[in-house]
Amino acid sequence: MYLDSSGCAFTSLVNPSGGFVAGDHLSIHASLERDAHAVLSTPSANRVYRSLGEEARQTVDLSVAAGAILEWFPEVTIPFAGSRFTQTMDVQLAKGATAMIWDSLVSGRVARGERWAFTSLRNEIRVMAASGAQLLERYEVKPEQGQVGLVSRYDYVASLFVVSDGIDPMKWPPLRGIVADILDSMGDEVLGGVTEPTVPGLAVKLVARSAEVLVTVQELLWDVVRRELLGL
């Protein structure tokens, strides 16, 4: 779908099974050619069902050519009680390419009292710049072994990575300040931070207390990044 006159293609990725069961392995491969612009999203949350042994896996490989812009904004992942899930994502950027990567996780089916009741969740996101420098996020959570810590006070965890060597380097510091102000404006409903990693760009990490707050902060961050970097 083309929602405006910018030429950006909004693409919705549908999993026909409605979620992951034990042993499932879903692979997503996408390539953006030179000067293409696409938003990749999903129509609903990524559900991971209970498993008695085998884990479910999702592997995402994204390639962004010179001058292309990728916006990866799927809905939240919901690990049900007793579920086992692993996600690995690799994003390869050519010189002058831009990537915005959003990833979010809920503690479980909160309304059913399944807060931090999944068995295990592993997540790895790697964004490789044309220079060979990379941004890497890697974590593993096993609530049954007490590996939640301070995050247990919140129900939502999210990351936003914006990487591009085609953006004027002078734009990153003021954008970092705007993002920090947005996080601070949410009060105690959101705890988050923003930094400039070794690759040209920004890395944002946050936790939120509710779905409504998560959606609000996501929209604010997405909006300001698009405006400041893309003029959209």
Side-chain angles (χ1 to χ4, degrees):
M1 297 177 290
Y2 292 87
L3 304 180
D4 56 30
S5 60
S6 68
C8 175
F10 189 97
T11 305
S12 187
L13 306 176
V14 179
N15 180 356
S17 70
F20 287 92
V21 297
D24 278 357
H25 183 191
L26 175 64
S27 296
I28 300 172
H29 302 269
S31 297
L32 272 67
E33 296 186 356
R34 188 178 184 90
D35 297 328
H37 184 183
V39 173
L40 301 184
S41 187
T42 56
S44 62
N46 183 22
R47 298 168 180 83
V48 186
Y49 297 108
R50 179 182 179 87
S51 170
L52 298 179
E54 291 186 271
E55 67 176 13
R57 294 183 292 152
Q58 175 167 280
T59 303
V60 182
D61 291 296
L62 306 171
S63 176
V64 190
I69 302 170
L70 166 68
E71 301 179 64
W72 174 268
F73 278 81
E75 293 295 321
V76 68
T77 294
I78 307 176
F80 286 27
S83 64
R84 295 170 167 86
F85 183 62
T86 293
Q87 174 181 261
T88 57
M89 177 184 297
D90 280 292
V91 185
Q92 298 284 335
L93 302 180
K95 189 172 180 60
T98 299
M100 304 178 196
I101 306 297
W102 171 266
D103 187 71
S104 58
L105 166 74
V106 63
S107 64
R109 293 184 293 178
V110 178
R112 294 177 61 91
E114 295 181 1
R115 298 183 69 253
W116 304 107
F118 55 87
T119 299
S120 64
L121 188 145
R122 291 185 292 168
N123 196 24
E124 180 177 303
I125 299 174
R126 186 189 307 270
V127 184
M128 182 77 73
S131 65
Q134 62 182 338
L135 183 154
L136 174 65
E137 174 177 72
R138 180 189 291 135
Y139 63 84
E140 181 174 9
V141 183
K142 294 182 177 179
E144 293 180 351
Q145 299 181 15
Q147 293 184 6
V148 180
L150 295 176
V151 179
S152 63
R153 304 174 188 175
Y154 297 84
D155 282 318
Y156 294 83
V157 181
S159 305
L160 173 63
F161 305 124
V162 184
V163 179
S164 178
D165 63 4
I167 300 294
D168 181 354
M170 298 301 293
K171 288 188 175 183
W172 297 118
L175 179 57
R176 176 181 177 179
I178 297 171
V179 169
D181 288 342
I182 290 173
L183 296 174
D184 289 342
S185 71
M186 306 301 292
D188 62 1
E189 292 297 302
V190 169
L191 176 64
V194 55
T195 188
E196 294 183 54
T198 55
V199 295
L202 295 179
V204 183
K205 290 291 297 180
L206 64 94
V207 290
R209 296 192 185 277
S210 70
E212 293 80 8
V213 170
L214 180 72
V215 170
T216 297
V217 72
Q218 176 196 6
E219 290 179 348
L220 290 172
L221 294 175
W222 196 0
D223 178 74
V224 73
V225 170
R226 279 184 132 240
R227 289 178 185 274
E228 297 297 319
L229 297 186
L230 307 179
L232 299 174

